[in-house]
Amino acid sequence: MLGNKHILLQFSNTMKDGVSMGGPRIRSIGLAVPPYALRQDDIKVFAAALFQKKMDNLARLLPVFDNACIAVRHLAQPLEWYAEPHTFAETNQLYEKIGLELAEEASRQALEQAEIACEDIGAIIFVSSTGIATPSLDAKLIQRLGLSAHTIRIPIWGLGCAGGVAGLARAAEMAAVSPGRTVLMVAMELCSLTFQRNDFSKSNLVGAGIFADGAAAVVLSMDGDGPEVLGSQTTLFADTEDVMGWDVVETGLKVRFSRDIPSIVRRYLSDLLNQACERWGVARADIRHYVAHPGGAKVIDAYAESLGLSPETFASAYNILENYGNMSSASVLFVLQRLLMTGSPSGDYGVMLALGPGFSSDQVLFRW
């Protein structure tokens, strides 16, 4: 049984019924993807050709591409690039260059939609786990966007797929404790650059079957319209470092999957949400919106089964998975943006859900 430790993070605004009143607002969401849009069928053919003489069980594993429920993914490089050997230094240079471009594009969209001047941004939260940079990319992004040299910088690395929800929670906390400060939160991932052409493990093939690239940016402040962020919870499971993460090898970051993540979701998610709702003072039956990180079709299925909800409840997550794949931390913000674009505000509660390395679970409560 997984042991767990809970850390509850809740905003300190005026409280009523266990949740904050007048919480930070999500003013806008900007999205960006690289130009190489590739069909899942073509990526499957590519992977089969690349690994056919290297993996004895390839025929048994290739259906992961078909069962992923993905039609299209956007990658940082053309498909043939992934067939060639590359050093960690080479791929990381691309991570910095292309990642900064996508982060800038998403950020400019978000700022324009929110009608926020660049000089009004007081803090930036930058989330990413698929490359390294020191100084972190937020330093360059501040200068690209023309933000104040006094902008508070909080780079977050290593949260993987949970980073979008966790980063949004940290951004909302920053906005809540500094009412006059507008916060820009950016999640940028280039998962495809971590592909290891000489890694013939199941984990690498699974990663090749679902991971993609993209960036999302969110503007939050204490004023304006948009979903109101009310609280958050993060849970770290003890002694579960092996569930997912990176192994650092000569050629870069090698993906690690060693347990059945959907089974973990089915076993623990319902109790985790019950605990969060109790602490927030919100009845679980009052939650109407579910924004889940689309980690894979089986993971989304497990969310629905664990919470006793219909698959249609997670329609936005399935849609983003189908059209973009798993972009790690950025994906859940694509899901949130789709919910906002396809629905109408009703004043109901919603929850954002994601899992990531640690092994950990992150949840954000909002009202929209």
Side-chain angles (χ1 to χ4, degrees), residues 306-323:
S306 173
L307 300 177
L309 300 169
S310 70
E312 288 74 21
T313 306
F314 296 91
S316 293
Y318 283 114
N319 179 273
I320 295 304
L321 181 66
E322 178 183 5
N323 292 289

Side-chain angles (χ1 to χ4, degrees), residues 123-125 127 163-165 167-168 171 183-187 216-220 333:
I124 181 169
I125 312 287
V127 178
V165 175
L168 186 65
V183 179
L184 175 66
M185 179 257 173
V186 181
V218 183
V219 173
L220 301 97
L333 302 174

Side-chain angles (χ1 to χ4, degrees), residues 156-174:
I156 298 177
W157 195 91
L159 294 180
C161 295
V165 175
L168 186 65
R170 304 294 84 76
E173 290 161 6
M174 176 67 74

Side-chain angles (χ1 to χ4, degrees), residues 15-34:
M15 303 296 293
K16 181 180 180 181
D17 297 330
V19 298
S20 64
M21 303 299 293
R25 297 277 183 168
I26 296 173
R27 300 281 299 274
S28 63
I29 303 175
L31 309 176
V33 292

Side-chain angles (χ1 to χ4, degrees), residues 204-333:
N204 192 45
L205 191 68
V206 170
I210 62 173
F211 283 133
D213 305 331
V218 183
V219 173
L220 301 97
S221 67
M222 292 302 295
D223 57 359
D225 298 322
E228 181 183 7
V229 182
L230 300 172
S232 66
Q233 175 174 274
T234 184
T235 303
L236 175 66
F237 294 94
D239 302 320
T240 56
E241 295 91 345
D242 63 320
V243 172
M244 64 166 60
W246 299 126
D247 292 323
V248 181
V249 296
E250 291 292 332
T251 50
L253 302 174
K254 175 183 173 182
V255 69
R256 183 198 319 139
F257 296 126
S258 64
R259 298 198 200 176
D260 185 354
I261 294 171
S263 294
I264 296 174
V265 172
R266 290 187 184 93
R267 184 170 183 179
Y268 295 103
L269 180 62
S270 183
D271 287 342
L272 289 177
L273 186 56
N274 286 339
Q275 293 163 9
C277 286
E278 181 178 353
R279 291 165 178 171
W280 291 331
V282 173
R284 185 164 136 182
D286 290 337
I287 296 176
R288 295 288 181 269
H289 310 297
Y290 286 85
V291 178
H293 165 68
K298 291 183 178 179
V299 175
I300 304 174
D301 292 346
Y303 274 121
E305 293 173 22
S306 173
L307 300 177
L309 300 169
S310 70
E312 288 74 21
T313 306
F314 296 91
S316 293
Y318 283 114
N319 179 273
I320 295 304
L321 181 66
E322 178 183 5
N323 292 289
Y324 295 95
N326 180 349
M327 299 170 286
S328 191
S329 67
S331 286
V332 73
L333 302 174

